[in-house]
Structure formats: C-alpha cells, structure tokens
Amino acid sequence: PSSLEAFTESPIYARTNGYLAHWYKDIGSKVQKGTLLADIETPEIDQELMQARAARDQAEAQLRLAKTSADRWETLRKMDAVAQQETDERSSGYTQGQAALASATANVRRLEQLESFKHVYAPFAGTITKRNTDIGALINAGNSGMNQELFVVALVNPIRVYVDVPEIYAPSVRRGVNASIELPSLPGQRFTGSVARTADAIDPGTRTLRTEIAVPISDGKLLPGS
C-alpha cells in the first residue's frame, strides 16, 4: 500500500488584509508561474499609503527649507554676521530633515510593498487543487489563527509515491530501483517509476523503511491523494 502526493504543493495565503475583489482561477485550472489568481481590495492600506506619501512630500518641503536656511546662515557666518552656535543649529536642522525624509520614504516603500500584495500570483506552474475564498470574503494576512489558504497549487507531473517497505525487504531498496504502480481504480494498468530516495532509517514504530518513488506522468491518470 502506498499514497500518491504532488511533486510540489503549496497553499497560497494573503500577505495583506482586505476583501476579495475577484478571483480568476478555479479548481482544475492550469497555471504558470506568475499567473494572477485573485485581487484583494485594501482600503485601509490605500489610505495609509496616501497619508505616507503626503508626509514624505511634507518632509521634502521641510528639507528644502532647512537646506536654504543652513546655506544662508553659513554665508552669514563667513561674514561674521551671526554666531557659530546659530549656524550649527541650522546645520543640525538640515541633518534632521534628511533623516526625517529618509524615514518617510522608507514608510512609503513599506506600504507600497504591502499594497502590491493585493494581487495574488501563482508561485510556480501547476494546477489549482483548492479554492477556499469567494468575492467579498474578508481576507486576513498570514496563516495564523483562523486564517485559511486562498488557493492550493500543486505540481503533479511528475508525482511522488510514498510506500513504507517492510524491514525484511529494506536492504534491496536503493535509489534507481524500478517500481510498478497499480491503482484499484485503474485495473490492468501499470505505471512505471523508480526509487528517488529513502529515509535511510527504519521507523521503530512500524519497522518499515519510508521510500519515495518518482513516477513521470503526462496523461493525468495518477491523482494526488490516491
């Protein structure tokens, strides 16, 4: 007895909070890496980004004023028209303005990155095996708590077959050994693969050797979970 699993399978979670605006791929859809799967509305992030951009513009204006002031007082200092202390204060104000602008710019970039997460893309080429969301659904970032994946993408070509080989047969199992797979749902058909790897250890609970067989397929007859 063995079990079939996708060669690569990944749940797709949201990276930002909002509401699902639209989904583009359903179960069974073949996707390529970078395919757009869904769009999320993020009104709170959009508003924060607008405020952050306004704060950055304000910091830029204040920096220009601080620079003009610092340059003017530096000129006056050369003419001995002002004290050195006052000139240093203007120079310090310009330095503080540079730091404030850098902070505001970093905040804008952070929010722009968060906003980019409103578009959900496929991480690799494969098949959509689950879609657990719909239009209007509340979306929470991350995979903690009650959050669930929006989609599950699986690469099923080739497919992995896992079998627990009894200890008595373990010495004959090695990488490259051919194996034939039969399914009760497809009587009379065999699928050929080969041992890709083993656990190199006997499970003390079952006295078996966990073995993975790789079966290259192209007709879609072998399904994960079989």
Side-chain angles (χ1 to χ4, degrees):
S2 58
S3 59
L4 277 61
E5 296 184 11
F7 188 80
T8 303
E9 186 174 38
S10 176
I12 310 300
Y13 293 92
R15 297 286 302 276
T16 187
N17 300 324
Y19 296 90
L20 192 75
H22 200 281
W23 54 265
Y24 301 98
K25 299 296 180 181
D26 210 340
I27 59 173
S29 298
K30 308 296 183 183
V31 298
Q32 299 298 318
K33 181 178 180 179
T35 298
L36 180 62
L37 302 181
D39 288 326
I40 301 173
E41 291 183 356
T42 57
E44 291 85 359
I45 297 297
D46 295 342
Q47 185 64 32
E48 289 182 19
L49 179 58
M50 291 177 60
Q51 294 176 348
R53 285 172 174 168
R56 181 185 61 183
D57 293 342
Q58 183 179 17
E60 288 179 346
Q62 292 176 344
L63 179 62
R64 288 193 295 267
L65 178 60
K67 185 178 186 306
T68 300
S69 179
D71 292 343
R72 182 182 299 114
W73 281 77
E74 186 64 32
T75 301
L76 293 174
R77 175 56 190 161
K78 292 178 181 179
M79 300 169 57
D80 288 332
V82 295
Q84 182 65 45
Q85 177 65 28
E86 295 174 319
T87 303
D88 293 342
E89 289 176 356
R90 297 302 187 278
S91 297
S92 177
Y94 175 58
T95 302
Q96 292 175 2
Q98 289 178 310
L101 178 59
S103 176
T105 301
N107 190 39
V108 169
R109 290 176 179 172
R110 178 184 66 85
L111 292 171
E112 286 176 343
Q113 188 174 32
L114 281 177
E115 191 180 44
S116 70
F117 294 145
K118 65 169 56 177
H119 306 297
V120 182
Y121 299 98
F124 54 84
T127 303
I128 302 297
T129 59
K130 291 182 182 180
R131 176 180 62 82
N132 297 321
T133 188
D134 212 338
I135 296 175
L138 177 64
I139 304 298
N140 295 318
N143 61 350
S144 60
M146 298 299 293
N147 297 338
Q148 63 178 1
E149 66 271 13
L150 305 180
F151 299 90
V152 174
V153 182
L155 175 62
V156 296
N157 189 4
I159 200 164
R160 300 177 190 265
V161 180
Y162 287 98
V163 57
D164 295 319
V165 179
E167 182 179 1
I168 190 172
Y169 303 119
S172 62
V173 178
R174 59 188 181 277
R175 186 172 182 176
V177 171
N178 292 331
S180 296
I181 310 301
E182 295 181 353
L183 275 75
S185 58
L186 299 172
Q189 297 189 43
R190 286 190 173 189
F191 302 88
T192 302
S194 61
V195 174
R197 59 188 58 84
T198 70
D200 285 335
I202 300 297
D203 186 333
T206 61
R207 301 301 179 186
T208 57
L209 175 68
R210 187 69 165 175
T211 302
E212 178 189 330
I213 300 169
V215 181
I217 60 172
S218 59
D219 53 10
K221 291 183 178 180
L222 298 182
L223 302 178
S226 300

